[in-house]
Amino acid sequence: MATLAPRPHELLALRRPRLRTPRARASAHRARGAPVAPQAARPRRVFLGLGAAFVDQLARMASGGAPSRSFVASARPRQGVSPVEQILKNVEWPDEFPFKAEDFSRFDESSDALFYSAPRYVTHIDDQAIEALTKYYSEVLPPSNTPGVAILDMCSSWVSHYPPGYKQEKIVGMGMNEDELKRNPVLTEYVVQDLNVNPKLPFEDNTFDVITNVVSVDYLTKPIDVFKEMRRILKPSGLAIMSFSNRCFWTKAISIWTSTGDADHAWIVGAYFHYAGDFEPPEAVDISPNPGRTDPMYVVRSRKRIA
């Protein structure tokens, strides 16, 4: 596949992963098994350029070669506004899911169960990004101890980054490592499941008010299957919150993720919501605490449509 050079006026002001401070680098080295920015290792391919060129080229493929005005317009940044927050505005989606099977391949296709067999009691984003996410959750999650509220923390681990002391009658963690899930104090129950092997979620229809997923959407190799299941188990108007940064276990992240940038990632997650069907138009939010100085933090969210 030929790589198209993006036209200068279409380039997004994407932040490539920053050079970490000596203190941050030392902290990362101490945290055995902590994820890194995918560009820390040489990616095996480059997909369609970056930023606006990426979404414009997807539109061209979907429309038989004609440029898509709405794709480019939604990608061009306005001064003082995060490109991530603009990328999902006024999107005219292609008729069909624009990604191919190869886009969900990974550098390491070995068993995920083996990869996650040993617990990793580390945090996958820096303290400032965690604080920003926790603050965001405090604004959008139902108040603590709201009667009847049920939450699913998908791809969970030993910490969920919910506000301190946050409680609900039902908070389910779904993850890959049982020891990590047992240690998570916010969970009332947990399920060990590999969504890349079995994307079917073991819950009844209309069970959850909120689904959260922290820095793990980039590992899903069957995202549309998973998002359709999310839609099924959410209550009408239930909220799904997918948060991500530029840090990951790059060998396990999908190819389309490791070869694109932050705004592209928001578009990709937005596409998952759109093509799963029966979600409201997805919204991207940039909650990065100190752009360029700490880990970035982004959210793509949507609600299940009321039938």
Side-chain angles (χ1 to χ4, degrees), residues 187-208:
L187 304 180
T188 61
E189 55 190 277
Y190 64 83
V191 177
V192 178
Q193 183 169 323
D194 184 348
L195 293 173
N196 290 338
V197 172
N198 177 20
K200 176 73 173 178
L201 301 179
F203 308 107
E204 298 294 326
D205 296 358
N206 306 316
T207 295
F208 294 99

Side-chain angles (χ1 to χ4, degrees), residues 274-291:
H274 175 78
Y275 292 101
D278 290 326
F279 280 104
E280 294 179 358
E283 177 186 5
V285 185
D286 186 344
I287 60 172
S288 302
N290 296 292

Side-chain angles (χ1 to χ4, degrees), residues 53 63 91 98 101 111 117 121 142 147 149 162 200 234 250 252 302:
S63 60
V91 177
S111 168
S117 60
Y121 297 116
V149 163
Y162 293 172
K200 176 73 173 178
L234 277 171
W250 75 272
K252 283 296 186 180
S302 182

Side-chain angles (χ1 to χ4, degrees), residues 128-197:
Q128 293 88 343
I130 291 172
E131 183 179 353
L133 180 60
T134 299
K135 181 178 183 295
Y136 178 79
Y137 278 154
S138 72
E139 297 168 354
V140 300
L141 292 180
S144 193
N145 293 311
T146 301
V149 163
I151 296 177
L152 172 63
D153 188 29
M154 183 180 291
C155 303
S156 188
S157 64
W158 67 282
V159 61
S160 295
H161 306 308
Y162 293 172
Y166 189 80
K167 294 182 180 180
Q168 296 294 354
E169 181 179 333
K170 184 183 182 73
I171 301 180
V172 182
M174 171 176 281
M176 290 288 293
N177 186 280
E178 186 171 13
D179 290 334
E180 291 183 14
L181 294 170
K182 284 180 178 179
R183 188 165 163 178
N184 189 327
V186 77
L187 304 180
T188 61
E189 55 190 277
Y190 64 83
V191 177
V192 178
Q193 183 169 323
D194 184 348
L195 293 173
N196 290 338
V197 172

Side-chain angles (χ1 to χ4, degrees), residues 50-113:
L50 298 173
F54 164 71
V55 291
D56 188 33
Q57 182 65 12
L58 284 178
R60 287 174 182 270
M61 291 190 299
S63 60
S68 170
R69 184 181 305 274
S70 61
F71 271 73
V72 177
S74 67
R76 290 175 183 162
R78 299 197 313 273
Q79 185 174 3
V81 180
S82 166
V84 169
E85 295 198 342
Q86 296 178 66
I87 198 72
L88 294 179
K89 294 183 183 296
N90 304 314
V91 177
E92 190 174 298
W93 299 99
D95 290 338
E96 297 182 0
F97 189 56
F99 303 117
K100 302 179 183 300
E102 68 188 59
D103 296 325
F104 302 99
S105 64
R106 301 170 298 172
F107 189 88
D108 178 5
E109 294 286 8
S110 65
S111 168
D112 290 339

Side-chain angles (χ1 to χ4, degrees), residues 242-274:
M242 306 289 110
S243 61
F244 55 91
S245 183
N246 65 357
R247 323 296 296 175
C248 67
F249 296 113
W250 75 272
T251 60
K252 283 296 186 180
I254 57 173
S255 177
I256 193 68
W257 195 275
T258 60
S259 54
T260 53
D262 293 347
D264 302 322
H265 296 161
W267 194 94
I268 291 166
V269 178
Y272 295 165
F273 280 116
H274 175 78

